Amino acid sequence: GAVPDRETSVNEGFGKITYAPSQQHFFNVSYRHRPQEDEFAGVGPNDAPEVATNSEGPNRVATAVWDWFINARTTLDVKYLHMDEGNETVAVTDLGARGAFDVDNLAAMGFFTDPQGFNRGGAQLRLNQQNYKRDEIKATLTRFLDVAGTSHQLKAGFGWDEGSEDLTRES
C-alpha cells in the first residue's frame, strides 16, 4: 500500500569567537547546535507504514580554548569541551496496553511478519530514548629545546573527562 513520505528536518547553527588581547594570549570559543527531526522513519521495502517511527534530538558541542605563549619556547594550552546528544524515537502506531491475545487481530498485538513477508502492527519499540553527555578539560605545557644540534619537544599535561548516558527502551 501507500507509504507516507519520510520527512527530515535539520537546522544547524554554529558560532565562533576568537580574541587575542595581546601577543601572549589567544582565546577561542565556539558553539554548534544541530537539532534534527524525522517523521515516518524506519520504513523499509517490506514494512507497512504503521511500523514507522518519529524521532527528534539535538546535538550540541561547545568548546573554549586558551593559549598562553609564555615565551618563544614555552606554551600553555587549556581546552574545555562540552557535548551532548539527545535522541528520542517514538512509534508512529502506539499500541498501548493490550488485553488478551487476539489471533484474529495480530496488528493490534505488536510487530509481526505476515505470511507474505511484510512487517505489520507497530514499531519494534514503543520508545527508544538515548541521551549522551560528555565534559572534558585538558591542559598541556609544551617546551621546545635544542640539544647538541637536535630539536626536542617536552610536554606535560593533565586531563579530566566525564561522560554519561541515559537509556530508556519501552516495548
Side-chain angles (χ1 to χ4, degrees), residues 7-8 14 20-21 32 58 60 64-65 74 83 92 95 103 119 121 145 148-149 161:
E7 294 184 23
T8 300
F14 176 77
R32 175 181 175 245
R60 296 180 287 249
V65 179
T74 308
M83 61 185 287
V92 169
L95 298 172
V103 73
N119 299 318
L145 302 168
D161 66 81

Side-chain angles (χ1 to χ4, degrees), residues 76-119:
L76 176 65
D77 180 54
V78 180
K79 298 178 182 179
Y80 170 74
L81 166 72
H82 171 81
M83 61 185 287
D84 62 54
E85 182 172 0
N87 185 14
E88 180 175 286
T89 302
V90 179
V92 169
T93 305
D94 186 350
L95 298 172
R98 290 173 291 286
F101 185 77
D102 184 357
V103 73
D104 295 322
N105 189 5
L106 292 177
M109 298 292 100
F111 183 89
F112 76 100
T113 304
D114 68 17
Q116 290 81 31
F118 291 102
N119 299 318

Side-chain angles (χ1 to χ4, degrees), residues 132-151:
Y132 174 77
K133 166 175 103 162
R134 179 184 170 111
D135 288 289
E136 175 181 289
I137 297 173
K138 290 185 178 182
T140 306
L141 182 67
T142 304
R143 175 74 180 174
F144 295 94
L145 302 168
D146 291 327
V147 177
T150 62
S151 297

Side-chain angles (χ1 to χ4, degrees), residues 13-30:
F14 176 77
K16 181 176 180 179
I17 297 172
T18 58
Y19 177 59
S22 70
Q23 290 185 355
Q24 281 89 19
H25 298 279
F26 182 78
F27 296 93
N28 176 343
V29 177
S30 65

